Structures are given as C-alpha cells and as structure tokens.
Amino acid sequence: MKKEAIYTRQSIDKKDSVSIETQQAECEKLLKGEFTVYTDRGYSGKNTSRPALQHLLRDIQYGGISRVIVYRLDRISRNITDFYSLYEMMSENGCEFVSVSESFDTNGAMGRAMMGIIAVFAQMERETIQQRVTDNYYFRITDGRWAGGPAPIGYDNAKNEANRQR
C-alpha cells in the first residue's frame, strides 16, 4: 500500500527554530491517509545530496509513495534542473507533487508552467543569497574587519578601538 510523504528542509539547523515543525504542520493539513515524514536539517536546496531526500527518492522508486507534500517548492529544490529531474521521476513512478503554499494544478499546461516559474525564482533566490553573503564577506575584509568564523587556534576574536572585530 502506498503512503503519502511530507518532505521538510531547513538550510541552517538552528537550536530554537521551529521552521521544520511549521512546515510539517502545514503539510499535515492536506494528508488523506498514512504518511511518512522525511526531514533534512542543515542542508541546502542547491543540490539533491541530502540523506532524507535520497531516502524519499528510493521509496518513490520502489513504489511506496503516492504523493509528496512540501510547504513550498523551494524546500525540495532550489535548482531548476534538479527540480525537473525530481518531478519527472515522481511522475514516472505515479507519485503526485503538492506544494502547500503555491497552488498549481500539474495536470494542466498552465499549472506546470507556473510550477516552472516558481522553480526559476527559487533558484534565483538561492543565487542572490549566495552573492549577498559573498559580497558581505569581501566587504568585511576590505573594511578591515574579521571575515568571520572562529579565531585561529591560540587566538581570540577581539574588537579594536572602532568597536570592530579584528
């Protein structure tokens, strides 16, 4: 008997975060039967190298999953090529894909087009975040600040007269 699946992901595993629990609670509202939850904490959506996602994909290929429910499309992938590969594999195995917060009906051309547009924006958002982090890193260096991270062994992070980390 096929089950439904909920897939949740959070890029940074923060101690007090309830992101995963929020995603799962919203997804559970759409459940129709028996289900399994697959969760990746601390994994980026830039590729598919995530333990729970790989487990989910194996379960889909073995015919055990009828429907995958995600809170948002970008939780399963922030790479358009990977997303379409995942979606195609789901379709080939009779597995429906559902996004709680984005309403698109993949049975029609318009719904599939909307899904593609959302996938493009998910990838663009990932690339924008990546560029912003890189820009901030280099700005800190050129401004004479500590680039970030722990101090080298034997040193402490300290602040200078201008109250900046050195």
Side-chain angles (χ1 to χ4, degrees), residues 1-53:
M1 177 179 209
K2 286 188 170 190
K3 292 188 217 177
E4 293 179 296
I6 292 174
Y7 179 77
T8 60
R9 179 186 65 80
Q10 181 178 1
S11 297
I12 299 171
D13 189 11
K14 295 180 184 175
K15 191 175 194 175
D16 297 333
S17 177
V18 292
S19 175
I20 295 289
E21 292 76 11
T22 301
Q23 290 176 50
Q24 183 175 335
E26 290 300 314
C27 291
E28 285 178 0
K29 294 175 182 178
L30 297 180
L31 292 171
K32 296 177 182 173
E34 239 184 285
F35 70 97
T36 303
V37 178
Y38 301 81
T39 297
D40 281 314
R41 288 183 188 270
Y43 287 90
S44 168
K46 68 182 177 184
N47 59 44
T48 59
S49 299
R50 293 172 260 151
L53 179 61

Side-chain angles (χ1 to χ4, degrees), residues 59-109:
D59 288 351
I60 291 169
Q61 289 174 326
Y62 291 132
I65 304 295
S66 62
R67 184 163 81 139
V68 174
I69 303 169
V70 296
Y71 177 67
R72 284 177 36 151
L73 183 145
D74 68 2
R75 297 300 82 204
I76 200 160
S77 182
R78 284 187 179 255
N79 179 303
I80 191 165
T81 305
D82 287 345
F83 175 74
Y84 274 115
S85 294
L86 294 170
Y87 180 73
E88 186 176 326
M89 188 275 289
M90 287 181 206
S91 296
E92 288 170 356
N93 288 280
C95 179
E96 182 184 355
F97 175 74
V98 176
S99 168
V100 170
S101 63
E102 298 138 342
S103 298
F104 45 75
D105 179 4
T106 57
N107 292 319

Side-chain angles (χ1 to χ4, degrees), residues 104-159:
F104 45 75
D105 179 4
T106 57
N107 292 319
M110 185 59 80
R112 287 188 298 277
M114 288 305 299
M115 184 177 64
I117 290 167
I118 292 167
V120 166
F121 278 103
Q123 179 170 322
M124 184 185 76
E125 183 179 11
R126 176 183 59 85
E127 291 170 357
T128 301
I129 292 167
Q130 184 178 22
Q131 186 62 51
R132 189 172 54 241
V133 168
T134 301
D135 291 348
N136 288 338
Y137 175 80
Y138 285 111
F139 176 79
R140 291 176 67 83
I141 291 170
T142 58
D143 198 36
R145 300 180 195 196
W146 176 250
I153 295 176
Y155 292 86
D156 290 322
N157 285 335
K159 294 189 177 185

